[in-house]
Amino acid sequence: FDGMTIVELAKRTGEHVAALQDILINVGESVGSEFDPLSIDIAELIAMEVGASVKRIHTSEGAQILPRPPVVTVMGHVDHGKTSLLDALRQTSVAAKEAGGITQHLGAFVVSMPSGASITFLDTPGHAAFSAMRARGAAVTDIVVLVVAADDGVMPQTLEAVAHAKAANVPIVVAVNKCDKPAANAERVKIQLASEGLLLEEMGGDIQVVEVSAIKKTGLDNLEEALLLQAELMNLKSRVDGPAQAYVVEARLDKGRGPLATAIVKAGTLVCGQHVVVGSEWGRIRAIRDMMGTLTERATPAMPVEIEGLKGLPMAGDDIIVVQSEERARMLSAGRKKKFEKDRLLKISDGAEALKELEE
Ligand code: GTP
Ligand code: MG
């Protein structure tokens, strides 16, 4: 993108240059020459106002592109053991062991293997959260672990999870859970999944199936290995330097510290002190904490962190972008708020129209 002029932007969005200049004046920016390059924030603001979207492309020339850990989401039918499995996996985390327990709830955690590899698990089971994030364009998940209870077998929400993963184009690794139960029948689960069109590895496909017990803590290493193998096939890499492109996984309000957001960086590095726009909120990053609650200066790709310093509470799936100044942050946030409000009102009036038509 970088350095587009208002004339080019007008061409791309199909708007008149004068209309775009009006927007600039509205937000209190100086108009300047038609041929001055626009900053990305201004371009995004203008584009947003006219309903277009701007892709931020950072030149990766000379940038460090490094392998990164996979980000994994656990999904499956109610009561099939998603929470238990996450708890069990969390306990395999070297960091958790070292600290003698879990120090804080972050909405995400990292399991580090003795080999040095690690896996980031998102602690947001629930299909609603997954689809909400996907609907908002937050493609944070690399792999879905599909949990199926060995005694219960494939159930409606199992299939729903499969549909979500397929729609998001995210590969699945199956965890057949509760294998310790006398009524467990892993073979039946596999046949059910295959008959639903899942191409399992042992049947010549590429979906790995691992038998586990979250309660007895068996098969967890196999599951972790399967996830790392899947990640290896995907060759996950991210730009490490440069401005961060990150997403909110979870947000909450703390009485003393204000709005806190759990974030995962997709690319680049988020640095303490930076001005950010998060969804339609803004702020300056006052503190970054890792999953152990330790203060850190920066967050790199796939590392879940908690950020402090936002002026308002963002939503799961919101994007985090770094801007040059507080002024920019305020402006972009105000522009986004206006746009969201407009969309909301449009939706309501659409609904009202539809109702009217129904009544007529
Ligand atoms: P929801 O969040 O309500 O959808 O459930 P969930 O999928 O998170 O399941 P949860 O982990 O809460 O487990 C449901 C029940 O199954 C609990 O009573 C667990 O103790 C039990 N359970 C989970 N994993 C296992 C397992 O491996 N073996 C056995 N025997 N029981 C398990
Ligand atoms: Mg649960």
Side-chain angles (χ1 to χ4, degrees):
F1 180 88
D2 250 7
M4 190 183 277
T5 66
I6 202 157
V7 176
E8 287 167 73
L9 191 61
K11 239 187 254 164
R12 295 247 193 134
T13 56
E15 298 284 326
H16 289 293
V17 173
L20 299 188
Q21 285 173 332
D22 277 347
I23 295 171
L24 275 185
I25 295 165
N26 272 341
V27 298
E29 274 292 308
S30 65
V31 174
S33 151
E34 288 173 15
F35 302 103
D36 284 346
L38 297 168
S39 77
I40 178 99
D41 305 330
I42 302 282
E44 185 178 270
L45 183 74
I46 295 176
M48 233 160 25
E49 289 290 317
V50 299
S53 71
V54 175
K55 264 227 157 71
R56 288 169 179 253
I57 299 168
H58 299 288
T59 43
S60 49
E61 232 173 278
Q64 255 196 314
I65 313 270
L66 294 178
R68 62 167 174 84
V71 179
V72 176
T73 298
V74 173
M75 296 173 92
H77 194 71
V78 62
D79 270 359
H80 278 197
K82 300 177 292 293
T83 304
S84 307
L85 185 60
L86 277 168
D87 286 347
L89 287 165
R90 199 192 288 267
Q91 281 162 30
T92 70
S93 162
V94 173
K97 268 183 214 149
E98 277 171 358
I102 298 99
T103 50
Q104 70 169 22
H105 179 81
L106 241 202
F109 62 95
V110 181
V111 169
S112 311
M113 312 297 171
S115 69
S118 54
I119 305 171
T120 300
F121 287 94
L122 289 194
D123 212 357
T124 46
H127 306 177
F130 185 81
S131 350
M133 287 183 73
R134 185 163 62 83
R136 322 195 70 212
V140 274
T141 300
D142 299 307
I143 305 168
V144 162
V145 170
L146 181 68
V147 179
V148 189
D151 54 342
D152 227 10
V154 170
M155 298 296 272
Q157 282 173 307
T158 312
L159 299 178
E160 212 179 273
V162 171
H164 280 302
K166 278 189 175 163
N169 213 3
V170 174
I172 291 171
V173 170
V174 178
V176 180
N177 188 32
K178 307 199 186 185
C179 284
D180 59 289
K181 282 194 153 185
N185 187 345
E187 287 315 308
R188 187 177 66 114
V189 173
K190 289 176 200 169
I191 292 165
Q192 286 175 332
L193 289 171
S195 73
E196 291 295 339
L198 265 74
L199 304 168
L200 307 184
E201 201 174 41
E202 50 203 274
M203 299 169 188
D206 50 19
I207 297 179
Q208 303 179 77
V209 181
V210 184
E211 295 176 24
V212 301
S213 163
I215 295 296
K216 293 270 188 286
K217 299 193 173 53
T218 55
L220 299 178
D221 329 352
N222 294 343
L223 178 58
E224 289 165 355
E225 257 162 48
L227 290 168
L228 286 179
L229 182 66
Q230 178 63 46
E232 217 175 284
L233 293 173
M234 296 166 79
N235 195 22
L236 302 169
K237 284 183 177 166
S238 287
R239 167 178 59 84
V240 178
D241 30 34
Q245 181 200 339
Y247 291 100
V248 173
V249 172
E250 195 183 68
R252 67 189 171 92
L253 199 61
D254 181 271
K255 265 196 195 137
R257 298 194 283 148
L260 300 176
T262 298
I264 296 242
V265 174
K266 277 288 275 192
T269 299
L270 197 62
V271 183
C272 205
Q274 282 178 331
H275 297 281
V276 288
V277 175
V278 182
S280 60
E281 303 297 338
W282 66 279
R284 180 162 191 246
I285 301 179
R286 188 166 56 219
I288 300 179
R289 285 185 181 78
D290 67 12
M291 60 178 261
M292 304 310 298
T294 310
L295 284 168
T296 167
E297 267 304 298
R298 50 195 65 234
T300 50
M303 170 182 166
V305 288
E306 184 181 73
I307 59 171
E308 188 180 319
L310 303 179
K311 302 290 175 196
L313 198 62
M315 287 186 278
D318 275 348
D319 60 334
I320 302 177
I321 55 177
V322 176
V323 294
Q324 289 313 312
S325 63
E326 177 173 327
E327 202 190 349
R328 286 275 156 76
R330 277 174 191 272
M331 189 185 69
L332 202 51
S333 152
R336 285 182 163 193
K337 280 204 168 115
K338 245 190 255 166
K339 168 101 172 53
F340 289 158
E341 184 58 14
K342 213 156 87 190
D343 290 352
R344 197 180 65 86
L345 291 176
L346 269 176
K347 240 189 218 157
I348 293 172
S349 72
D350 274 1
E353 294 274 306
L355 248 166
K356 239 166 90 188
E357 271 172 35
L358 266 178
E359 281 167 358
E360 274 166 16

